Amino acid sequence: MEPDTADRLAVSMPWLDGVAETLLAATEPILGPDAPKNLKDALYGTWLGHPLHPAVVALPVGCWTATSVFDLIGEERAADATLNLGLASAGLAALSGLAQWRDATNDEGPRRLGALHAVLNTAGTALYLGSSIARRGGNRTGGIALSTLGLAVTMASGWIGGELAYEMG
């Protein structure tokens, strides 16, 4: 059977192993084996009965999608509000994703794709932060350009997250 796109992507990016090691080390205090069990369980979603990440990631992605719609129809205040709500919720999405990803780090493909997913989400969030700053500084056109690019990066990252969850388990 021929490997799918996600498998080919993971194999072609061995540099992501270094990113994965950095993420593992950075999250060790809150998600590692010696971290507080209640915190890990909360971030993983044990209390919910399934992983928390898919539930909470809908907030930043939904907000940022709404930002694009509001920008298109000229609703500046609504666009800015949803952009900033997305930024405020991105941290919980990232932490819950890292908690879930740590379970898959023994396998090369999921470890690498999870690292790529994190890198792209960080880049997307940084673009939205830049957009928020540009908008507050009066550069609406630049802010819209940054958020449009942020949405594209976030959607690409979402595809990778879907591959992680549904194709790689």
Side-chain angles (χ1 to χ4, degrees), residues 26-41 43 102:
T27 59
E28 188 74 18
I30 58 170
L31 298 171
D34 296 328
K37 184 172 177 5
N38 290 342
L39 178 59
K40 289 191 308 189
D41 285 350
L43 289 172
R102 282 185 68 97

Side-chain angles (χ1 to χ4, degrees), residues 45-158:
T46 303
W47 56 274
L48 189 59
H50 64 80
L52 179 63
H53 185 63
V56 299
V57 76
L59 190 54
V61 172
C63 285
W64 291 335
T65 302
T67 297
S68 292
V69 172
F70 289 134
D71 280 336
L72 280 173
I73 63 173
E75 293 292 335
E76 294 181 2
R77 288 185 59 213
D80 295 352
T82 53
L83 186 152
N84 290 316
L85 182 58
L87 284 170
S89 62
L92 179 57
L95 284 174
S96 63
L98 285 166
Q100 189 173 350
W101 170 75
R102 282 185 68 97
D103 285 348
T105 56
N106 290 330
D107 296 324
E108 181 180 272
R111 182 182 61 244
R112 286 181 181 173
L113 282 187
L116 181 58
H117 183 60
V119 166
L120 289 173
N121 281 334
T122 301
T125 302
L127 288 163
Y128 276 105
L129 179 60
S131 174
S132 180
I133 292 167
R135 290 165 190 253
R136 278 184 275 155
N139 184 359
R140 188 129 211 109
T141 302
I144 291 171
L146 287 169
S147 64
T148 301
L149 186 54
L151 185 62
V153 170
T154 300
M155 291 297 127
S157 184

